């Protein structure tokens, strides 16, 4: 851990994240294993999606599919998290996605807890601190044509996010937009404050990914979890449509690789 912490790769990732708000880490899932993981993720998303295809979207994905679990604590990534968050980083959200053929461009936004449409949010102007790291695990290649996520470099340095009815229109096109591109097995990283959007998929193939978000131990994740007092009081009582993260049943947690357990122990549902 200590040697990875100061590796040239980690320093480069940190510097790029700080400058641009996003970057790429290559090969966090080995090339000889990605096909099996992709097949499992794709099948689980198609089976459990809460949105109609071609947009597959499954929150609390770990309760349905654990094929990504062996990679979640990759030491190269943990070394980055260590520098960003200190001790005890954890997973805040884990979502399986398919952006299928015909998917259109989405609204430009920052992610929770900076998304100003959420009931549980850090109100803008927000402080200059990384509080949630979005990692886009590429199950297929991410290309311009198949809708590699659109990001606006440097937008994480703003202390506000796009919102309907303001001059920062979520439907607008923004200068400098780029798309996350990488090979299957690579992981795109971005600061949750970085403005981004779904990009159109103009191919005939599905773009499959798992979005894993990592946070420091001190960030309150309870508003994301249906059934908690925080979710009832802050989200439901205010008719919010905040992101949600369903818990991991104890029986599934017990079978996870040991390396993944410290990242998700806070999500256990002890009742099943
Ligand atoms: O799937 C993508 O490319 C982007 C997803 C996204 O913007 C989000 O989940 O916040």
């Amino acid at each position: 851990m200590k040697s990875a912490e100061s590796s040239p790769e980690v320093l480069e990732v940190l510097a790029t994240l700080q400058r641009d708000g996003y970057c790429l880490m290559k090969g966090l899932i080995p090339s000889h294993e990605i096909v099996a993981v992709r097949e499992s993720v794709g099948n689980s998303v198609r089976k459990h999606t809460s949105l109609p295809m071609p947009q597959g979207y499954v929150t609390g994905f770990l309760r349905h599919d654990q094929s990504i679990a062996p990679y979640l604590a990759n030491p190269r990534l943990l070394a980055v998290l260590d520098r960003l968050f200190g001790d005890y980083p954890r997973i805040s959200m884990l979502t399986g996605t398919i952006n299928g053929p015909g998917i259109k461009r989405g609204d430009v936004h920052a992610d929770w807890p900076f998304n100003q449409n959420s009931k549980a949010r850090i109100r803008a102007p927000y402080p200059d601190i990384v509080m949630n790291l979005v990692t886009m695990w590429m199950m297929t290649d991410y290309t311009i044509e198949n809708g590699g996520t659109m990001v606006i470099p440097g937008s994480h340095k703003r202390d506000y996010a796009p919102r309907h009815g303001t001059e920062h229109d979520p439907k607008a096109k923004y200068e400098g937009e780029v798309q996350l591109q990488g090979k299957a097995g690579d992981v795109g990283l971005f600061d949750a404050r970085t403005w981004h959007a779904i990009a159109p998929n103009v191919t005939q193939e599905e773009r499959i990914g798992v979005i894993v978000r990592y946070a420091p131990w001190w960030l309150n994740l309870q508003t994301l979890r249906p059934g908690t007092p925080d979710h009832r009081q802050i989200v439901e009582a205010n008719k919010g449509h905040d992101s949600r993260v369903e818990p991991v049943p104890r029986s599934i947690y017990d079978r996870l690789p040991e390396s993944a357990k410290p990242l998700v122990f806070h999500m256990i549902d002890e009742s099943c």
Side-chain angles (χ1 to χ4, degrees), residues 55 99 102-109 147-152 162 164 169-174 177 195-201 207:
Q55 181 162 25
N99 291 13
I103 284 264
K104 303 268 185 295
R105 179 184 167 103
D107 285 358
V108 180
H109 62 284
T149 311
M150 194 280 287
V151 297
I152 303 175
H164 294 290
D169 182 0
K171 304 273 181 218
K173 293 215 163 155
Y174 288 89
E177 293 179 358
W195 297 12
H196 64 282
I198 289 175
N201 181 348
R207 196 217 70 182

Side-chain angles (χ1 to χ4, degrees), residues 169-242:
D169 182 0
K171 304 273 181 218
K173 293 215 163 155
Y174 288 89
E175 204 181 324
E177 293 179 358
V178 297
Q179 283 180 250
L180 265 185
Q181 296 176 66
K183 295 277 174 210
D186 294 349
V187 177
L189 281 64
F190 56 93
D191 188 320
R193 293 173 298 174
T194 303
W195 297 12
H196 64 282
I198 289 175
N201 181 348
V202 298
T203 71
Q204 296 308 311
E205 309 288 330
E206 291 176 332
R207 196 217 70 182
I208 306 175
V210 180
I211 308 175
V212 186
R213 295 174 173 90
Y214 295 85
W217 63 267
W218 45 261
L219 186 64
N220 179 8
L221 305 176
Q222 295 299 302
T223 62
L224 300 169
R225 182 165 164 174
T228 63
D230 287 27
H231 189 268
R232 272 196 297 277
Q233 181 80 13
I234 297 173
V235 181
E236 286 171 48
N238 294 308
K239 300 189 172 31
H241 299 285
D242 294 27

